[in-house]
Amino acid sequence: MNISITQPPQVAWASGLFSGGPLIRKSTCISSLANVFTDEHAWQAYPPHEVVYEVEMLDTASTEGALYTGVTHLNPGKVGDEYFMTRGHFHARREQGEVYCGLRGTGLLLLQDEQGAARLEHVFPGSVHIIPGFTAHRLINTGSDILSALAVWPSAAGHDYAALAQGFSVRVVEEGGEAQVKEINHD
Ligand code: PA5
Ligand code: NI
């Protein structure tokens, strides 16, 4: 018998940086986040290539039933008084869930159902977030360090950004040095 023992990819828990596997990287700069932040003037004032977040994921199989693993690194910063955040999405296959684990920095995970009901969870090193199906999700960096979170999701899930073109029903802003949650009425 000739059973092989291979070296798996690794992630450094303190930084969320992968090593040892083929990776895919995607950088999201501020200019590609039109209509995501409330303060249009503050958004325009940024250099267009300012990076808001980067996603590094393992380049693994995308067959039905397979899982993707990636880490989002969300920079600290604000547009006006609104904290840097990811665009946020539903999964194209709405029933598919996801798991996030906080690795570095502090922030919030905004979760919103299809009826617009929102809730937030604290994200911190060691936090575990079970995102059910039919639930949009967005990371918000309320801290002064990079917020890094590892995610595992079904590769068949896909992303639906268009369904949230109107925005989430909650915004998180800094007021008096603290994170404040504001409800938005889209009616
Ligand atoms: O699968 C996920 O939910 C994450 O890897 C996100 O895609 C990542 O955080 C980037 O966010 P978004 O896809 O909303 O731009
Ligand atoms: Ni997702």
Side-chain angles (χ1 to χ4, degrees), residues 89-91 98 100 131 137 153 158-159:
H89 58 267
F90 280 103
H91 289 154
E98 184 160 356
Y100 276 21
I131 304 170
H137 38 288
W153 69 99
H159 296 90

Side-chain angles (χ1 to χ4, degrees), residues 19-88:
S19 56
L23 298 172
I24 298 171
R25 287 194 185 84
K26 187 183 171 219
S27 201
T28 300
C29 58
I30 195 122
S31 59
S32 67
L33 294 171
N35 304 317
V36 168
F37 297 96
T38 308
D39 188 334
E40 177 88 19
H41 281 289
W43 175 72
Q44 296 262 3
Y46 264 100
H49 297 298
E50 176 90 12
V51 172
V52 179
Y53 57 100
E54 291 181 282
V55 177
E56 204 175 49
M57 59 180 277
L58 297 173
D59 189 3
T60 50
S62 61
T63 44
E64 180 73 27
L67 299 171
Y68 278 146
T69 304
V71 174
T72 299
H73 302 281
L74 175 57
N75 286 327
K78 282 179 292 169
V79 177
D81 58 7
E82 192 171 22
Y83 294 104
F84 273 10
M85 56 196 177
T86 58
R87 183 185 301 279

Side-chain angles (χ1 to χ4, degrees), residues 130-162:
I130 311 297
I131 304 170
F134 304 97
T135 306
H137 38 288
R138 159 182 278 173
L139 281 170
I140 303 164
N141 189 347
T142 57
S144 49
D145 194 3
I146 299 169
L147 178 66
S148 299
L150 181 135
V152 179
W153 69 99
S155 52
H159 296 90
D160 179 356
Y161 296 102

